Amino acid sequence: MSPGPATVLLAAVAAAGFLIDSIWALATMALILVVVCMRAPVDRRFIYISGALFSALGVIVISPFTWSSGGGTLLWEGPTLPVLGPLDISTDEIRIAVVNGLRLAVVALAFSAYTLRVDHDRLVSAAGFARRSALAVALATRLVPTLERDAAGLAESVRGRGVELHGARGYATLLSPLVAGSLERATGLAEAMEARGFGRSGATRAPRPSWTFADFVALGGAVVLVGVAALWL
């Protein structure tokens, strides 16, 4: 699938996640996105999938204690705290917490699939308009996996010198070389773009492959998904 239709489809999935309030529909979308992310390399997919799922689980577990809906069947009535108020749990609060947690999972997994599975270089080259904005977005989304690879390489180099990193304070020592490496990479990227004439008039582009049937299906599916989610309200 081409990067353009894939990006549109993932954006439609994230938008539908905000609109749909059905637990089963949101759970199905989250499961499909997990399967898509699982096709990424093993050394990259874990942090994205675990971060999305654990964040959603945190919302599901904590939200019923911190927000009162005033409806549903009361399941447990706890003490009243000065700031949080009464710590009670009802069926309505559990349902709302599950919906919000699944919404967070769908949005986070859609972004993870975009980061892991979409070719950002092809996405920028396919942008026939607003190429500067598309390049800025692509570079920003590639920042996290790039820093992730740099941090893993630095940690491996440090371990090769007999130094083990433990806890947040140990890994915080990698912050300075990561920042220095990012600045050096940004300088090199700017020089490479200038050498290739980026932004000049009359620039040429490499030929792009034509869209396939799957690309048109993805665009149609994105429109249908957002339309169904809007009618769901």
Side-chain angles (χ1 to χ4, degrees), residues 167-195:
R169 178 175 297 182
Y171 283 95
T173 58
L174 301 178
L175 182 60
S176 178
L178 283 176
V179 173
S182 299
L183 294 177
E184 183 179 357
R185 184 183 296 106
T187 303
L189 178 62
E191 293 176 351
M193 292 171 61
E194 183 178 2

PDB file of all heavy atoms in Angstrom, residues 167-195:
ATOM      1  N   GLY A 167      18.184   2.277  36.340  1.00  0.00           N
ATOM      2  CA  GLY A 167      17.223   3.275  36.778  1.00  0.00           C
ATOM      3  C   GLY A 167      17.201   4.520  35.905  1.00  0.00           C
ATOM      4  O   GLY A 167      17.923   4.652  34.907  1.00  0.00           O
ATOM      5  N   ALA A 168      16.324   5.454  36.318  1.00  0.00           N
ATOM      6  CA  ALA A 168      16.159   6.683  35.542  1.00  0.00           C
ATOM      7  C   ALA A 168      17.418   7.540  35.577  1.00  0.00           C
ATOM      8  O   ALA A 168      17.780   8.171  34.579  1.00  0.00           O
ATOM      9  CB  ALA A 168      14.965   7.480  36.091  1.00  0.00           C
ATOM     10  N   ARG A 169      18.124   7.566  36.715  1.00  0.00           N
ATOM     11  CA  ARG A 169      19.333   8.389  36.812  1.00  0.00           C
ATOM     12  C   ARG A 169      20.427   7.855  35.889  1.00  0.00           C
ATOM     13  O   ARG A 169      21.163   8.631  35.275  1.00  0.00           O
ATOM     14  CB  ARG A 169      19.820   8.420  38.258  1.00  0.00           C
ATOM     15  CG  ARG A 169      21.097   9.219  38.448  1.00  0.00           C
ATOM     16  CD  ARG A 169      21.464   9.329  39.909  1.00  0.00           C
ATOM     17  NE  ARG A 169      20.439  10.056  40.653  1.00  0.00           N
ATOM     18  CZ  ARG A 169      20.520  10.326  41.955  1.00  0.00           C
ATOM     19  NH1 ARG A 169      21.576   9.895  42.665  1.00  0.00           N
ATOM     20  NH2 ARG A 169      19.567  11.002  42.560  1.00  0.00           N
ATOM     21  N   GLY A 170      20.533   6.536  35.774  1.00  0.00           N
ATOM     22  CA  GLY A 170      21.553   5.977  34.900  1.00  0.00           C
ATOM     23  C   GLY A 170      21.290   6.287  33.441  1.00  0.00           C
ATOM     24  O   GLY A 170      22.198   6.699  32.708  1.00  0.00           O
ATOM     25  N   TYR A 171      20.026   6.128  33.002  1.00  0.00           N
ATOM     26  CA  TYR A 171      19.718   6.399  31.605  1.00  0.00           C
ATOM     27  C   TYR A 171      19.671   7.894  31.319  1.00  0.00           C
ATOM     28  O   TYR A 171      19.749   8.297  30.151  1.00  0.00           O
ATOM     29  CB  TYR A 171      18.384   5.751  31.230  1.00  0.00           C
ATOM     30  CG  TYR A 171      18.493   4.266  31.018  1.00  0.00           C
ATOM     31  CD1 TYR A 171      18.213   3.367  32.048  1.00  0.00           C
ATOM     32  CD2 TYR A 171      18.891   3.749  29.795  1.00  0.00           C
ATOM     33  CE1 TYR A 171      18.321   2.005  31.858  1.00  0.00           C
ATOM     34  CE2 TYR A 171      18.999   2.391  29.587  1.00  0.00           C
ATOM     35  CZ  TYR A 171      18.707   1.515  30.626  1.00  0.00           C
ATOM     36  OH  TYR A 171      18.826   0.164  30.427  1.00  0.00           O
ATOM     37  N   ALA A 172      19.529   8.728  32.366  1.00  0.00           N
ATOM     38  CA  ALA A 172      19.559  10.175  32.150  1.00  0.00           C
ATOM     39  C   ALA A 172      20.921  10.651  31.672  1.00  0.00           C
ATOM     40  O   ALA A 172      21.033  11.713  31.061  1.00  0.00           O
ATOM     41  CB  ALA A 172      19.162  10.902  33.431  1.00  0.00           C
ATOM     42  N   THR A 173      21.985   9.858  31.934  1.00  0.00           N
ATOM     43  CA  THR A 173      23.314  10.237  31.462  1.00  0.00           C
ATOM     44  C   THR A 173      23.413  10.189  29.938  1.00  0.00           C
ATOM     45  O   THR A 173      24.344  10.755  29.367  1.00  0.00           O
ATOM     46  CB  THR A 173      24.373   9.309  32.077  1.00  0.00           C
ATOM     47  OG1 THR A 173      24.071   7.945  31.731  1.00  0.00           O
ATOM     48  CG2 THR A 173      24.394   9.445  33.596  1.00  0.00           C
ATOM     49  N   LEU A 174      22.471   9.504  29.293  1.00  0.00           N
ATOM     50  CA  LEU A 174      22.477   9.441  27.830  1.00  0.00           C
ATOM     51  C   LEU A 174      21.855  10.676  27.195  1.00  0.00           C
ATOM     52  O   LEU A 174      21.906  10.839  25.968  1.00  0.00           O
ATOM     53  CB  LEU A 174      21.722   8.207  27.344  1.00  0.00           C
ATOM     54  CG  LEU A 174      22.228   6.841  27.823  1.00  0.00           C
ATOM     55  CD1 LEU A 174      21.320   5.740  27.280  1.00  0.00           C
ATOM     56  CD2 LEU A 174      23.662   6.610  27.395  1.00  0.00           C
ATOM     57  N   LEU A 175      21.248  11.553  28.012  1.00  0.00           N
ATOM     58  CA  LEU A 175      20.534  12.706  27.464  1.00  0.00           C
ATOM     59  C   LEU A 175      21.478  13.651  26.726  1.00  0.00           C
ATOM     60  O   LEU A 175      21.175  14.114  25.626  1.00  0.00           O
ATOM     61  CB  LEU A 175      19.808  13.450  28.593  1.00  0.00           C
ATOM     62  CG  LEU A 175      18.965  14.658  28.165  1.00  0.00           C
ATOM     63  CD1 LEU A 175      17.876  14.231  27.200  1.00  0.00           C
ATOM     64  CD2 LEU A 175      18.361  15.338  29.389  1.00  0.00           C
ATOM     65  N   SER A 176      22.631  13.933  27.332  1.00  0.00           N
ATOM     66  CA  SER A 176      23.556  14.879  26.706  1.00  0.00           C
ATOM     67  C   SER A 176      24.074  14.376  25.352  1.00  0.00           C
ATOM     68  O   SER A 176      24.013  15.118  24.356  1.00  0.00           O
ATOM     69  CB  SER A 176      24.725  15.165  27.658  1.00  0.00           C
ATOM     70  OG  SER A 176      25.661  16.032  27.062  1.00  0.00           O
ATOM     71  N   PRO A 177      24.574  13.137  25.230  1.00  0.00           N
ATOM     72  CA  PRO A 177      25.001  12.679  23.893  1.00  0.00           C
ATOM     73  C   PRO A 177      23.860  12.568  22.903  1.00  0.00           C
ATOM     74  O   PRO A 177      24.065  12.749  21.698  1.00  0.00           O
ATOM     75  CB  PRO A 177      25.652  11.318  24.177  1.00  0.00           C
ATOM     76  CG  PRO A 177      25.130  10.889  25.494  1.00  0.00           C
ATOM     77  CD  PRO A 177      24.894  12.142  26.270  1.00  0.00           C
ATOM     78  N   LEU A 178      22.642  12.280  23.374  1.00  0.00           N
ATOM     79  CA  LEU A 178      21.508  12.220  22.451  1.00  0.00           C
ATOM     80  C   LEU A 178      21.204  13.597  21.877  1.00  0.00           C
ATOM     81  O   LEU A 178      20.936  13.736  20.678  1.00  0.00           O
ATOM     82  CB  LEU A 178      20.278  11.666  23.171  1.00  0.00           C
ATOM     83  CG  LEU A 178      20.230  10.154  23.395  1.00  0.00           C
ATOM     84  CD1 LEU A 178      19.001   9.778  24.203  1.00  0.00           C
ATOM     85  CD2 LEU A 178      20.245   9.408  22.078  1.00  0.00           C
ATOM     86  N   VAL A 179      21.230  14.624  22.732  1.00  0.00           N
ATOM     87  CA  VAL A 179      20.982  15.987  22.246  1.00  0.00           C
ATOM     88  C   VAL A 179      22.080  16.411  21.274  1.00  0.00           C
ATOM     89  O   VAL A 179      21.812  16.995  20.216  1.00  0.00           O
ATOM     90  CB  VAL A 179      20.887  16.961  23.434  1.00  0.00           C
ATOM     91  CG1 VAL A 179      20.804  18.401  22.938  1.00  0.00           C
ATOM     92  CG2 VAL A 179      19.667  16.640  24.287  1.00  0.00           C
ATOM     93  N   ALA A 180      23.343  16.116  21.633  1.00  0.00           N
ATOM     94  CA  ALA A 180      24.444  16.477  20.743  1.00  0.00           C
ATOM     95  C   ALA A 180      24.336  15.752  19.407  1.00  0.00           C
ATOM     96  O   ALA A 180      24.557  16.346  18.338  1.00  0.00           O
ATOM     97  CB  ALA A 180      25.775  16.148  21.427  1.00  0.00           C
ATOM     98  N   GLY A 181      23.977  14.470  19.442  1.00  0.00           N
ATOM     99  CA  GLY A 181      23.808  13.725  18.199  1.00  0.00           C
ATOM    100  C   GLY A 181      22.659  14.253  17.354  1.00  0.00           C
ATOM    101  O   GLY A 181      22.751  14.283  16.122  1.00  0.00           O
ATOM    102  N   SER A 182      21.576  14.684  18.014  1.00  0.00           N
ATOM    103  CA  SER A 182      20.437  15.231  17.274  1.00  0.00           C
ATOM    104  C   SER A 182      20.807  16.533  16.581  1.00  0.00           C
ATOM    105  O   SER A 182      20.423  16.765  15.422  1.00  0.00           O
ATOM    106  CB  SER A 182      19.265  15.454  18.230  1.00  0.00           C
ATOM    107  OG  SER A 182      18.848  14.235  18.815  1.00  0.00           O
ATOM    108  N   LEU A 183      21.551  17.394  17.271  1.00  0.00           N
ATOM    109  CA  LEU A 183      21.978  18.647  16.649  1.00  0.00           C
ATOM    110  C   LEU A 183      22.917  18.393  15.474  1.00  0.00           C
ATOM    111  O   LEU A 183      22.819  19.042  14.423  1.00  0.00           O
ATOM    112  CB  LEU A 183      22.665  19.530  17.698  1.00  0.00           C
ATOM    113  CG  LEU A 183      21.765  20.046  18.830  1.00  0.00           C
ATOM    114  CD1 LEU A 183      22.586  20.836  19.841  1.00  0.00           C
ATOM    115  CD2 LEU A 183      20.643  20.914  18.275  1.00  0.00           C
ATOM    116  N   GLU A 184      23.827  17.427  15.639  1.00  0.00           N
ATOM    117  CA  GLU A 184      24.731  17.090  14.543  1.00  0.00           C
ATOM    118  C   GLU A 184      23.973  16.515  13.358  1.00  0.00           C
ATOM    119  O   GLU A 184      24.260  16.831  12.198  1.00  0.00           O
ATOM    120  CB  GLU A 184      25.782  16.098  15.040  1.00  0.00           C
ATOM    121  CG  GLU A 184      26.827  15.741  13.994  1.00  0.00           C
ATOM    122  CD  GLU A 184      27.871  14.783  14.531  1.00  0.00           C
ATOM    123  OE1 GLU A 184      27.801  14.441  15.732  1.00  0.00           O
ATOM    124  OE2 GLU A 184      28.743  14.370  13.747  1.00  0.00           O
ATOM    125  N   ARG A 185      22.975  15.674  13.635  1.00  0.00           N
ATOM    126  CA  ARG A 185      22.168  15.103  12.551  1.00  0.00           C
ATOM    127  C   ARG A 185      21.367  16.196  11.839  1.00  0.00           C
ATOM    128  O   ARG A 185      21.214  16.164  10.612  1.00  0.00           O
ATOM    129  CB  ARG A 185      21.225  14.042  13.105  1.00  0.00           C
ATOM    130  CG  ARG A 185      20.410  13.341  12.011  1.00  0.00           C
ATOM    131  CD  ARG A 185      19.437  12.351  12.594  1.00  0.00           C
ATOM    132  NE  ARG A 185      20.139  11.274  13.275  1.00  0.00           N
ATOM    133  CZ  ARG A 185      20.201  11.155  14.601  1.00  0.00           C
ATOM    134  NH1 ARG A 185      19.608  12.056  15.381  1.00  0.00           N
ATOM    135  NH2 ARG A 185      20.844  10.159  15.147  1.00  0.00           N
ATOM    136  N   ALA A 186      20.827  17.146  12.603  1.00  0.00           N
ATOM    137  CA  ALA A 186      20.060  18.233  11.994  1.00  0.00           C
ATOM    138  C   ALA A 186      20.947  19.077  11.084  1.00  0.00           C
ATOM    139  O   ALA A 186      20.535  19.479   9.987  1.00  0.00           O
ATOM    140  CB  ALA A 186      19.440  19.100  13.092  1.00  0.00           C
ATOM    141  N   THR A 187      22.187  19.346  11.523  1.00  0.00           N
ATOM    142  CA  THR A 187      23.109  20.112  10.689  1.00  0.00           C
ATOM    143  C   THR A 187      23.445  19.359   9.406  1.00  0.00           C
ATOM    144  O   THR A 187      23.455  19.931   8.302  1.00  0.00           O
ATOM    145  CB  THR A 187      24.392  20.421  11.467  1.00  0.00           C
ATOM    146  OG1 THR A 187      24.062  21.127  12.664  1.00  0.00           O
ATOM    147  CG2 THR A 187      25.339  21.257  10.640  1.00  0.00           C
ATOM    148  N   GLY A 188      23.734  18.072   9.527  1.00  0.00           N
ATOM    149  CA  GLY A 188      24.029  17.272   8.345  1.00  0.00           C
ATOM    150  C   GLY A 188      22.847  17.196   7.398  1.00  0.00           C
ATOM    151  O   GLY A 188      23.017  17.231   6.172  1.00  0.00           O
ATOM    152  N   LEU A 189      21.625  17.080   7.947  1.00  0.00           N
ATOM    153  CA  LEU A 189      20.437  17.020   7.101  1.00  0.00           C
ATOM    154  C   LEU A 189      20.234  18.327   6.357  1.00  0.00           C
ATOM    155  O   LEU A 189      19.889  18.335   5.166  1.00  0.00           O
ATOM    156  CB  LEU A 189      19.212  16.695   7.957  1.00  0.00           C
ATOM    157  CG  LEU A 189      17.866  16.633   7.239  1.00  0.00           C
ATOM    158  CD1 LEU A 189      17.880  15.533   6.188  1.00  0.00           C
ATOM    159  CD2 LEU A 189      16.739  16.395   8.241  1.00  0.00           C
ATOM    160  N   ALA A 190      20.444  19.452   7.049  1.00  0.00           N
ATOM    161  CA  ALA A 190      20.292  20.753   6.388  1.00  0.00           C
ATOM    162  C   ALA A 190      21.301  20.922   5.262  1.00  0.00           C
ATOM    163  O   ALA A 190      20.966  21.422   4.173  1.00  0.00           O
ATOM    164  CB  ALA A 190      20.450  21.873   7.420  1.00  0.00           C
ATOM    165  N   GLU A 191      22.550  20.495   5.486  1.00  0.00           N
ATOM    166  CA  GLU A 191      23.568  20.596   4.438  1.00  0.00           C
ATOM    167  C   GLU A 191      23.236  19.686   3.256  1.00  0.00           C
ATOM    168  O   GLU A 191      23.435  20.063   2.095  1.00  0.00           O
ATOM    169  CB  GLU A 191      24.934  20.243   5.019  1.00  0.00           C
ATOM    170  CG  GLU A 191      25.447  21.242   6.050  1.00  0.00           C
ATOM    171  CD  GLU A 191      26.760  20.803   6.661  1.00  0.00           C
ATOM    172  OE1 GLU A 191      27.172  19.650   6.402  1.00  0.00           O
ATOM    173  OE2 GLU A 191      27.369  21.599   7.398  1.00  0.00           O
ATOM    174  N   ALA A 192      22.738  18.482   3.544  1.00  0.00           N
ATOM    175  CA  ALA A 192      22.373  17.566   2.461  1.00  0.00           C
ATOM    176  C   ALA A 192      21.213  18.112   1.642  1.00  0.00           C
ATOM    177  O   ALA A 192      21.200  18.011   0.398  1.00  0.00           O
ATOM    178  CB  ALA A 192      22.024  16.196   3.038  1.00  0.00           C
ATOM    179  N   MET A 193      20.218  18.711   2.305  1.00  0.00           N
ATOM    180  CA  MET A 193      19.083  19.282   1.590  1.00  0.00           C
ATOM    181  C   MET A 193      19.519  20.462   0.730  1.00  0.00           C
ATOM    182  O   MET A 193      19.053  20.639  -0.402  1.00  0.00           O
ATOM    183  CB  MET A 193      18.010  19.706   2.589  1.00  0.00           C
ATOM    184  CG  MET A 193      17.337  18.543   3.296  1.00  0.00           C
ATOM    185  SD  MET A 193      16.268  19.078   4.646  1.00  0.00           S
ATOM    186  CE  MET A 193      15.088  20.080   3.763  1.00  0.00           C
ATOM    187  N   GLU A 194      20.417  21.276   1.267  1.00  0.00           N
ATOM    188  CA  GLU A 194      20.904  22.419   0.487  1.00  0.00           C
ATOM    189  C   GLU A 194      21.715  21.947  -0.719  1.00  0.00           C
ATOM    190  O   GLU A 194      21.611  22.508  -1.819  1.00  0.00           O
ATOM    191  CB  GLU A 194      21.755  23.322   1.380  1.00  0.00           C
ATOM    192  CG  GLU A 194      22.246  24.580   0.671  1.00  0.00           C
ATOM    193  CD  GLU A 194      23.053  25.476   1.590  1.00  0.00           C
ATOM    194  OE1 GLU A 194      23.253  25.092   2.765  1.00  0.00           O
ATOM    195  OE2 GLU A 194      23.487  26.552   1.135  1.00  0.00           O
ATOM    196  N   ALA A 195      22.536  20.900  -0.522  1.00  0.00           N
ATOM    197  CA  ALA A 195      23.336  20.390  -1.626  1.00  0.00           C
ATOM    198  C   ALA A 195      22.474  19.795  -2.730  1.00  0.00           C
ATOM    199  O   ALA A 195      22.860  19.814  -3.909  1.00  0.00           O
ATOM    200  CB  ALA A 195      24.319  19.337  -1.110  1.00  0.00           C
TER     201      ALA A 195
END
